[in-house]
Amino acid sequence: MLLTVSGPPGSGKSTTAELLADAFDLDHVSGGDIFRELADERGYTPLEFNKLAEENDEIDRDLDRRLREIALEEDDLVLESRLAGWLAGDQADFRFWLDAPARVRGERIAEREDKDPVRATEETKAREASEAQRYEEYYGIDIRDLTIYDLSVNTARWEPDAVLDMLVTAVEEYDPDGDEGKARIDLEYEF
């Protein structure tokens, strides 16, 4: 089973993906972890590395190629990244989108990274705008198009365990006989 968890920074992707992987005894691969590792290896903060990615498309393309390969080659996995649902495409059994208001996400990031919440929110908005532009330019993906997702959840409304319960219920209650078709993703990626 391949599950994807996508959403903007601070939406609860990592927390939820870890819980989901545990619930179904699946491996968990995080695009954010891979991106932060790549940034750290090169001596950059994630924000600096993101700005560098604006000028060097190989950074995004390398990360996205890795995630796409994992989605195509691995089974029994929760794949988590902003583009996980798009990159996994039709390989994904279920694609989930998580979100929360910008202020909430900024506060979460501020707590995680020991930053001022206002600064974290501003940086996050700038990062999102930059990434959205690059996704459109590289792959023709409108990251705001949620029609490919099976379920979208505002994680500011529920505790992590309640969000997990929703996703687990969606997977467990799925009946292929009642499935009228998941959204198809017909993109050609040029990595």
Side-chain angles (χ1 to χ4, degrees):
M1 177 167 46
L2 173 59
L3 308 177
T4 68
V5 179
S6 301
S11 61
K13 290 183 309 295
S14 296
T15 298
T16 303
E18 288 173 14
L19 293 170
L20 198 56
D22 287 345
F24 288 108
D25 194 28
L26 303 172
D27 290 331
H28 170 220
V29 173
S30 166
D33 287 348
I34 294 171
F35 186 85
R36 284 185 284 278
E37 287 172 15
L38 291 170
D40 189 53
E41 288 170 8
R42 292 167 174 80
Y44 294 101
T45 68
L47 182 62
E48 292 168 337
F49 201 52
N50 198 55
K51 287 189 185 290
L52 184 61
E54 292 175 6
E55 300 165 11
N56 181 351
D57 69 342
E58 286 305 310
I59 293 170
D60 283 332
R61 292 178 189 274
D62 183 39
L63 173 63
D64 297 340
R65 178 179 31 254
R66 290 182 195 189
L67 293 172
R68 174 92 171 139
E69 288 171 357
I70 289 167
L72 295 176
E73 296 171 4
E74 301 289 327
D75 290 321
D76 300 324
L77 179 70
V78 175
L79 185 64
E80 167 222 338
S81 80
R82 230 128 16 261
L83 289 181
W86 289 96
L87 294 172
D90 294 336
Q91 294 294 118
D93 293 293
F94 296 95
R95 297 181 293 239
F96 301 117
W97 178 264
L98 305 181
D99 206 345
R103 175 192 53 79
V104 172
R105 292 184 292 108
E107 289 170 0
R108 290 173 178 173
I109 292 168
E111 185 176 322
R112 178 177 71 210
E113 297 179 6
D114 195 29
K115 290 183 177 180
D116 173 70
V118 173
R119 180 174 161 228
T121 301
E122 290 170 0
E123 288 176 356
T124 299
K125 286 180 180 180
R127 179 176 166 194
E128 285 178 73
S130 168
E131 290 173 348
Q133 181 179 350
R134 294 195 318 265
Y135 301 151
E136 181 71 39
E137 179 183 321
Y138 298 164
Y139 312 121
I141 293 172
D142 178 356
I143 194 69
R144 297 163 304 206
D145 177 5
L146 303 184
T147 60
I148 69 157
Y149 296 97
D150 299 302
L151 186 63
S152 175
V153 179
N154 175 354
T155 62
R157 302 290 311 270
W158 294 274
E159 294 290 324
D161 286 339
V163 173
L164 173 66
D165 289 344
M166 288 180 223
L167 304 187
V168 167
T169 298
V171 172
E172 290 178 342
E173 294 296 320
Y174 172 74
D175 179 0
D177 292 334
D179 188 340
E180 295 183 51
K182 69 179 176 181
R184 306 259 326 150
I185 298 177
D186 295 318
L187 290 176
E188 294 292 325
Y189 297 102
E190 293 184 24
F191 301 116

